[in-house]
Amino acid sequence: MTLLDTPLTRALGIEVPVICGAMFPCSNPELVAAVSDAGGIGIVQPLSLTFVHGYDFQDGLALIRRLTARPIGMNVLIEQSSRAYMDRMRRFVDQALEAGVRFFVTSLGNPRWVVDRVRDAGGIVYHDVTERKWAEKGIAGGVHGLIAVNNRAGGHAGGRSAEQLLEDLSGFGLPLVCAGGIGDAAGFVAALRMGYAGVQLGTRFIATDECRAAPEYKAAIVHAEEKDIVLTERVTGVPLSVIRTPYVDRVGTRTGRVARWMLRHRRTKHFMRTVYALRSAWALKRSLMDGGGSNDYWQAGKSVAGIDAVVPAGSIVRDFAAAARG
Ligand SMILES: Cc1cc2nc3c(=O)[nH]c(=O)nc-3n(C[C@H](O)[C@H](O)[C@H](O)COP(=O)(O)O)c2cc1C
């Protein structure tokens, strides 16, 4: 038995317990396929596939299937804000099942409907959580594993460290995946040694040949240090991890006072979240391809510290596996 033989690799039928996490707007078909093809598993972000990269959802999945026959996953962001969005998500899940997807990563909200929908097909659902109370909710919804998003993660970071989350969540007896702060093979091996069943990486996979982000965005990740990562509320209304640029310095990281009040108030918070979701979707789509970064946000987490070159995504998976084999 090696470090690579974990409940995650066994459940998904993959070789290396490395997940290329869903990334809006950075998940493009070539990136997802490259990670899966190398023995890890790439996660499709449906809105990134369709809205950012311009594919019809089924065509995008078919493209990935042409690039690799190995397992892929899909991210299901469960938001309460709009019925049209939820209907669309349900359709995406059904279409993913038809295309042979069996691994689903849910984020936010109650994952029960996803668990129920994929059960008959043998689907497996892991739920992103930042703390114990969300884990309890996910487990009540029937999920099969937890992705512990820690305080070093890209995207919407949590507030607890990888060690604290392991302690908080181990008692549930479900496989735990470490998300956040892993940029190199040493970090991967350390997470497995700690007791995690796998890792979920975002930032590391942006600085790859296959990711369609602007070269300047990738270079910013390669050159950034941990201290260059800041949390801003201005994109999505809740703290989002981005690289500190002159633009971020100029506009600050807090929302305006009215928006902050509306985001907290019971009657206005859903409306305000929808406003932010729509605005941020456009802003992040633009920033993916924008080389200037003059008035845009480049999302990244503290794993930038371990990232020193743009490389093929498959080589990351292979290097990690080699390090774990010792
Ligand atoms: C640019 C970017 C976009 C992300 N978008 C999503 C998303 O749409 N859905 C989601 O569940 N997680 C999202 N995440 C979180 C990642 O899936 C993953 O958990 C996180 O990046 C791990 O931390 P790391 O960046 O330090 O590796 C995003 C992360 C980044 C860096």
Side-chain angles (χ1 to χ4, degrees):
M1 167 148 160
T2 74
L3 272 179
L4 298 178
D5 181 16
T6 75
L8 181 75
T9 52
R10 272 173 257 145
L12 303 189
I14 59 175
E15 282 167 28
V16 189
V18 172
I19 301 172
C20 173
M23 288 186 283
F24 184 94
C26 302
S27 299
N28 52 273
E30 296 79 6
L31 176 59
V32 171
V35 174
S36 286
D37 207 51
I41 188 162
I43 306 296
V44 172
Q45 212 291 359
L47 298 180
S48 186
L49 186 64
T50 53
F51 173 65
V52 178
H53 296 283
Y55 292 94
D56 165 78
F57 186 63
Q58 285 169 304
D59 292 347
L61 291 182
L63 169 59
I64 300 172
R65 294 277 62 139
R66 283 197 297 279
L67 297 172
T68 182
R70 293 186 159 186
I72 58 169
M74 175 191 160
N75 183 215
V76 189
L77 279 172
I78 305 160
E79 307 225 17
Q80 302 276 329
S81 53
S82 127
R83 176 161 300 154
Y85 173 87
M86 289 298 286
D87 288 345
R88 196 151 172 220
M89 265 303 154
R90 287 197 180 92
R91 262 200 322 277
F92 284 152
V93 169
D94 292 344
Q95 290 169 336
L97 285 170
E98 275 165 35
V101 177
R102 292 293 177 270
F103 183 46
F104 296 85
V105 175
T106 51
S107 319
L108 312 170
N110 189 337
R112 172 163 294 285
W113 72 263
V114 183
V115 174
D116 289 344
R117 212 151 178 119
V118 307
R119 181 181 296 117
D120 288 348
I124 291 171
V125 181
Y126 276 43
H127 192 50
D128 275 338
V129 300
T130 50
E131 53 185 287
R132 215 186 136 82
K133 71 174 173 195
W134 305 126
E136 280 164 357
K137 240 185 157 173
I139 291 166
V143 299
H144 308 97
L146 299 170
I147 301 186
V149 181
N150 63 48
N151 56 4
R152 302 186 70 231
H156 292 114
R160 314 267 295 158
S161 70
E163 291 81 1
Q164 286 170 329
L165 281 171
L166 193 67
E167 202 177 306
D168 295 347
L169 307 176
S170 293
F172 293 121
L174 290 185
L176 300 177
V177 172
C178 179
I182 297 172
D184 57 19
F188 168 61
V189 173
L192 295 180
R193 291 233 161 90
M194 235 190 268
Y196 280 106
V199 299
Q200 173 165 281
L201 273 58
T203 305
R204 173 58 278 195
F205 283 117
I206 300 173
T208 57
D209 297 340
E210 291 83 356
C211 180
R212 287 199 208 147
E216 291 83 355
Y217 180 3
K218 297 180 188 178
I221 288 177
V222 168
H223 294 126
E225 296 169 31
E226 196 158 327
K227 65 171 175 43
D228 301 321
I229 302 301
V230 293
L231 293 173
T232 180
E233 295 172 356
R234 295 186 67 95
V235 187
T236 58
V238 287
L240 184 75
S241 186
V242 297
I243 301 178
R244 186 177 163 195
T245 58
Y247 173 66
V248 172
D249 280 346
R250 198 165 69 242
V251 298
T253 54
R254 303 288 308 271
T255 52
R257 212 179 307 158
V258 175
R260 206 175 318 143
W261 183 85
M262 287 182 79
L263 278 163
R264 286 193 186 135
H265 200 273
R266 195 170 54 84
R267 283 177 195 276
T268 50
K269 76 177 176 193
H270 287 299
F271 166 75
M272 208 51 199
R273 278 188 201 156
T274 306
V275 169
Y276 266 94
L278 292 173
R279 241 181 35 180
S280 67
W282 281 102
L284 293 173
K285 176 180 177 176
R286 199 182 54 217
S287 67
L288 176 72
M289 319 279 184
D290 174 33
S294 51
N295 56 2
D296 284 319
Y297 290 97
W298 285 335
Q299 294 185 76
K302 291 189 172 163
S303 55
V304 291
I307 303 172
D308 53 16
V310 176
V311 296
S315 74
I316 297 168
V317 179
R318 285 186 288 273
D319 289 352
F320 279 23
R325 287 193 192 103

